[in-house]
Amino acid sequence: MIGCGNMGGAMLRQWIGSGVLAADAVDIVNRADRALPAGVRQTRDLPAGPLPDAVILAMKPQQLDEIATRFAERLAGVSVLISILAGVEEDALARRFRAGAVVRAMPNLPVGIGKGVVALDSSSAAPVVRDAVAALMAPLGLVEWVAPALFDAVTALAGSGPAFLYRFIDALAAAGVAQGLPADQAQRLALATVEGAGLLAAAADVGPGALADQVASPGGSTRKGLDVLDAEGALVALLTETIAASTRRNAEMAAAARG
Ligand SMILES: NC(=O)c1ccc[n+]([C@@H]2O[C@H](COP(=O)([O-])OP(=O)(O)OC[C@H]3O[C@@H](n4cnc5c(N)ncnc54)[C@H](OP(=O)(O)O)[C@@H]3O)[C@@H](O)[C@H]2O)c1
């Protein structure tokens, strides 16, 4: 793995914790030592010896050219190159690295506890390679293959989604404070409510819309609140605008990386 910060580290911890990878089977190339799971080797340069089974690019997108200049020759012929670099398309990777297959992956931070989302895209990977990459990603959470044209939208919804939900939790707590709850208690209540509701929705055999209706009896207080969120599609409109703005920015960054 080249670069191993917040996201690379989260993936690595879950891979090793779930047993899908042995710590001593992983080499990290980082600029400085970081706290990593015991047994993982970390160096400043590619280790000597045969090519690894797979290379994962997990540094910042702006480091792509520097990393390609340093390592592309030595990595030529590697079976699979997986990149989590936001906004960097498969073609941009294939132009810089000669790999049997290039797979673009978009994880989100809950991969660190096995409850994340990993979107995948590859036009170059054979079915057997796609299956192997999907199996590698499976312990991280939900794995979905997406069309390249939808990657910017998936990045907005799932990649940035945790940040949007953190805002929602804060807003829920602030709304409770506005009704007189102490701030720390409102924060705890909001967080536990979102956690429990998410787990319940994930386990339910009906969709979230039906679940909301089950909680809201006619004329009751939940219905009154839902009426506010639903009035003229207020919440849907707000989130549509949020995801659209984020998707547009992803597209702009992808265009800039294309050159
Ligand atoms: N964070 C997210 O939610 C998220 C979601 C999806 C995708 N991503 C993608 O994940 C990638 C990493 O993001 P991050 O949030 O994990 O960033 P980060 O915490 O800053 O980590 C970047 C890592 O790359 C290393 N690095 C930078 N330049 C390097 C170089 N020249 N040689 C070797 N290692 C180098 C850094 O080392 P130093 O610490 O020594 O600088 C650090 O370990 C990005 O491409 C981002 O687009 C992130």
Side-chain angles (χ1 to χ4, degrees), residues 4 6-7 30-31 34 59-61 63 66 84 86 107:
C4 188
N6 289 327
M7 183 50 77
N30 240 355
R31 286 193 295 205
R34 287 205 168 212
M59 66 291 172
K60 291 283 190 187
Q63 262 101 42
E66 178 203 335
I84 66 165

Side-chain angles (χ1 to χ4, degrees), residues 1-2 24-30 41-55 70-71 74-75:
M1 179 183 278
I2 300 179
D24 63 4
V26 183
D27 285 286
I28 302 295
V29 180
N30 240 355
R41 293 178 295 270
Q42 46 183 331
T43 56
R44 307 293 84 81
D45 197 359
L46 289 179
L51 284 170
D53 295 334
V55 171
R70 283 178 65 198
F71 299 138
R74 287 159 67 194
L75 291 174

Side-chain angles (χ1 to χ4, degrees), residues 195-222:
E195 182 187 13
L199 288 172
L200 205 58
D205 48 16
V206 294
L211 285 177
D213 283 336
Q214 283 173 16
V215 181
S217 46
S221 63
T222 306

